[in-house]
Amino acid sequence: MDVDLNNEAHKESQSVHVEPSKVKEISAPEDIEGPEDAEGYKKRHLNVVFIGHVDAGKSTTGGQILFLSGQVDDRTIQKYEKEAKDKSRESWYMAYIMDTNEEERVKGKTVEVGRAHFETETTRFTILDAPGHKSYVPNMISGASQADIGVLVISARKGEFETGYERGGQTREHVQLAKTLGVSKLLVVVNKMDDPTVNWSKERYDEIESKMIPFLRSSGYNVKKDVHFLPLSGLVGLNMKTRVDKSLCSWWNGPCLFEALDAIDVPFRDPKGPFRMPIIDKFKDMGTVVMGKVESGSVREGDSLLVMPNKVQVKVFAVYCDENKVKLAGPGENVRVRLSGIEEEDIISGFVLSSIAKPIPAVYEFVAQLQILELLDNAIFTAGYKAVLHIHSIVEECEIIELLQQIDPKTKKPMKKKVLFVKNGAVVLCRIQVNNLICIEKFSDFPQLGRFTLRTEGKTVAMGKVMDLNSASSI
């Protein structure tokens, strides 16, 4: 492979940047006791990532949610409408709520992961608006790795669903990445149902559902339990906060989007487990501040923790959920933690804030089970194969050191014959090596810190899970 991996890994890691906040935050008391003590924090919390092909309407749907839930006022909407009209892009104004930088507005493409918050009767949601364009897949990975549930936005407009779904479209890659990155529940929203080419047609909706179900199944989703389909219009906000009127769509008897989001079960996370928070970003602000999602355990003011793999002991000065200072934050919360004892330049994305009693392992080598999706043309997957590894917030060059055994996809049992190389669709156990120490966990212990993707030349070639940590190479 004659690809400059150093350069590719650098490019991919450079692009993984998540803004602290893009939208007006929910106002709450300045200093609250913690997620379980303040009025707004009695509600459960879920991270939702919006995924799907470019132009499916992710940012528009996200913007409409914020408008319908009262996070954005009419005056702001009018300002965005005028701005979009001036650019001759009248239908983009809702997307401007999520796409706040000028590059995104000019191109009509989301680049960074937008972050916003809204509430329903029972739940506080953090929206992560992931880019759909294939050039920005590393940013999409960064967004999805923080999410609990996914909203897959599909365009019902004639030709647009097909473009996104066919080979080379982002619908397929996004679904596979979401599954690998731990997005266990998926809401598939069939958007643009009000388009003149669709006009709330049941036939078109059924056609999309029937094509998506086999693919979702092959990507590892239990369609009956973990996937829910619903029709809507993100641009005009139909079937979102309230159910669509029967005069428009007589055949739909299911929930609207807000009801469906409220009904999703929260994945269990252990607030008493060993503390784990992969760092996705850092900055200076009266000390060193790190950002990330708490995957296990809880963090409070005054805690002593380790920054791994450096093994630097730090003290927690302050914890923030959204914009609010809190005394305690549990698993699933997106937090900013102010630390003392370490300089901002000594931290990079992919480091993990970890408990001292049970620190996260740091390794140069590990054993993984890989499913090969689609290799580049003429590529052979064998010892010596190089790729870019994405695991939680880590982007790191890696090399396949040894293929241990091939696994029969039907019986899930190892095959007896020795394996030297494998092709597309194969499941293989192999040993993987990285150049720098990385913090990971076995999938069986911490699924969210033990699942990963391998990418080459901007394309996802394999999904995997960490089976074993090589203790000889760990620190």
Side-chain angles (χ1 to χ4, degrees), residues 256-321:
C256 61
L257 179 64
F258 279 31
E259 290 171 327
L261 284 168
D262 260 346
I264 286 179
D265 291 334
V266 189
F268 172 75
R269 308 184 194 92
D270 187 1
K272 294 190 164 58
F275 186 70
R276 300 282 185 268
M277 189 193 96
I279 295 167
I280 57 165
D281 211 349
K282 49 44 182 307
F283 54 92
K284 267 192 175 122
D285 178 17
M286 298 191 309
T288 300
V289 179
V290 292
M291 290 169 57
K293 176 184 160 200
V294 179
E295 294 291 2
S296 165
S298 304
V299 61
R300 66 177 73 235
E301 277 182 41
D303 277 356
S304 289
L305 297 169
L306 280 181
V307 173
M308 293 292 287
N310 285 11
K311 292 189 167 173
V312 177
Q313 191 162 331
V314 292
K315 199 164 178 83
V316 175
F317 256 14
V319 182
Y320 297 87
C321 284

Side-chain angles (χ1 to χ4, degrees), residues 91-231:
S91 66
W92 289 1
Y93 73 96
M94 273 292 171
Y96 283 9
I97 299 170
M98 294 301 292
D99 292 343
T100 56
N101 78 36
E102 197 50 36
E103 180 194 358
E104 293 179 318
R105 290 184 178 184
V106 170
K107 289 182 180 171
K109 286 179 191 155
T110 303
V111 177
E112 293 174 337
V113 178
R115 182 190 291 263
H117 313 277
F118 76 101
E119 297 190 25
T120 58
E121 291 300 310
T122 63
T123 312
R124 287 184 302 123
F125 289 97
T126 298
I127 298 178
L128 301 153
D129 175 33
H133 197 275
K134 61 174 173 247
S135 308
Y136 306 118
V137 165
N139 290 15
M140 178 266 164
I141 291 172
S142 163
S145 67
Q146 301 163 63
D148 307 303
I149 57 174
V151 175
L152 173 64
V153 183
I154 287 175
S155 169
R157 184 181 285 156
K158 198 171 180 181
E160 281 191 6
F161 162 68
E162 287 73 12
T163 307
Y165 181 68
E166 300 308 325
R167 195 182 161 136
Q170 292 314 109
T171 305
R172 287 168 175 265
E173 186 177 19
H174 274 202
V175 167
Q176 288 165 335
L177 285 170
K179 183 64 185 166
T180 314
L181 293 160
V183 177
S184 56
K185 308 273 182 182
L186 212 52
L187 267 181
V188 184
V189 303
V190 182
N191 189 24
K192 305 191 187 181
M193 288 296 291
D194 59 326
D195 189 81
T197 65
V198 185
N199 207 11
W200 294 93
S201 153
K202 184 176 191 305
E203 288 68 32
R204 178 62 166 163
Y205 177 83
D206 289 346
E207 178 196 358
I208 290 170
E209 190 175 22
S210 66
K211 282 186 176 165
M212 284 303 298
I213 283 173
F215 173 65
L216 289 165
R217 217 172 258 135
S218 71
S219 300
Y221 281 101
N222 179 330
V223 178
K224 279 203 173 95
K225 260 178 40 189
D226 299 331
V227 179
H228 195 91
F229 283 80
L230 59 91

